[in-house]
Amino acid sequence: MLGAPGAGKGTQAKRVAQAQGQPHISTGDIFRDHLQRDTALGKQVRLYLESGRLVPDTLVCEVVADRITEGDCADGYVLDGFPRSLPQAEALDQRLEGQGEQVAVAINLEVPDDEIIERLTARRHCPECGAIYNTKFRPPRRPGFCDKDQDVALVQRSDDKEQTIRERLRIYHETTKPILAFYEKKGVLRSVPGTGLSPDEVFANIEDVLSGLGVAKVS
Ligand code: AMP
């Protein structure tokens, strides 16, 4: 699942993974988990995450390589937030090729920058269950609290402050966007508009893409 930060990758990737019965692998979630548990990896990536910069390719690729060799990935998986640079896309490709596998589809969620900034400054999540809300577009039933874990106060990601968002967008355009051409060349890129539509409508469009490609496992 490709797209700028805040394009809705996390929300859509989770839904696709659920529909496909495949694990959802978010490198951002993996790093945040390590940060919270203050592991050795957490210490290594803290500064990158806090400043909105990309974690070095070799480190990210190692984390992903470890994760995709776990048993639950044998039947495919949904990557969210990876790859984010050309070297990462190439490393993934090489690794998959070595196993006789390939990326089935790269879905690009298209959202303009000004909407990204508006969305991300209003993004909140539940630290318990990970549910994502938006104070403007998808508010929780009780302001400030999770719908599921009703006593848990929602929090804002530390990298969702406007200055950090602008830096993340700059990096996205400079470093991440070139991978769209990489997947386009391979014939697996599919762009889906991620703006002006509800998350359900975006998901319906993604499902259409997956069925059209014969990738969907569950109709
Ligand atoms: P995300 O939740 O996907 O927005 O990721 C949060 C942060 O984790 C990013 O701003 C980066 O600092 C780091 N990160 C996540 N995935 C990657 C990746 N594939 N390459 C480099 N850094 C990453």
Side-chain angles (χ1 to χ4, degrees):
M1 189 71 65
L2 306 174
K9 292 191 300 289
T11 303
Q12 296 300 335
K14 273 183 205 158
R15 292 186 65 166
V16 171
Q18 200 181 16
Q20 295 278 98
Q22 292 174 338
H24 162 235
I25 302 176
S26 153
T27 40
D29 285 352
I30 294 175
F31 291 141
R32 275 186 293 277
D33 174 56
H34 279 269
L35 261 188
Q36 210 173 8
R37 293 188 286 121
D38 202 25
T39 63
L41 177 62
K43 288 183 182 30
Q44 264 179 297
V45 301
R46 178 176 300 279
L47 280 178
Y48 295 102
L49 267 82
E50 283 175 353
S51 62
R53 282 181 300 134
L54 294 184
V55 171
D57 290 334
T58 42
L59 192 53
V60 187
C61 289
E62 269 172 38
V63 167
V64 172
D66 280 352
R67 179 63 187 90
I68 64 178
T69 46
E70 284 178 31
D72 62 342
C73 291
D75 220 11
Y77 41 86
V78 180
L79 289 170
D80 162 14
F82 179 91
R84 238 165 160 123
S85 68
L86 215 43
Q88 290 180 19
E90 285 162 353
L92 175 68
D93 219 53
Q94 264 178 18
R95 189 176 180 94
L96 293 179
E97 219 175 276
Q99 297 167 191
E101 295 171 349
Q102 59 184 13
V103 170
V105 57
I107 292 173
N108 175 37
L109 290 176
E110 291 180 314
V111 179
D113 284 6
D114 47 358
E115 188 173 326
I116 297 272
I117 292 169
E118 209 187 341
R119 279 189 191 186
L120 286 189
T121 46
R123 179 162 75 172
R124 303 288 182 274
H125 70 275
C126 170
E128 280 298 316
C129 72
I132 301 167
Y133 298 89
N134 186 291
T135 55
K136 285 186 196 156
F137 308 115
R138 190 173 174 262
R141 281 195 292 273
R142 180 176 159 221
F145 291 88
C146 182
D147 289 349
K148 246 189 272 165
D149 301 301
Q150 293 179 9
D151 294 331
V152 180
L154 300 179
V155 294
Q156 183 178 36
R157 275 173 49 169
S158 59
D159 58 352
D160 277 347
K161 305 279 155 51
E162 186 159 344
Q163 202 185 348
T164 316
I165 295 167
R166 287 192 187 278
E167 174 65 0
R168 288 162 67 204
L169 274 173
R170 187 189 66 73
I171 293 169
Y172 169 74
H173 286 289
E174 196 175 277
T175 311
T176 308
K177 231 175 162 183
I179 66 179
L180 298 182
F182 175 86
Y183 287 118
E184 173 109 70
K185 229 171 163 181
K186 292 189 166 288
V188 295
L189 183 73
R190 297 291 181 279
S191 286
V192 172
T195 188
L197 299 171
S198 70
D200 283 350
E201 289 167 326
V202 175
F203 181 61
N205 288 339
I206 293 175
E207 278 192 311
D208 283 349
V209 166
L210 298 182
S211 340
L213 288 170
V215 171
K217 287 199 163 175
V218 187
S219 59

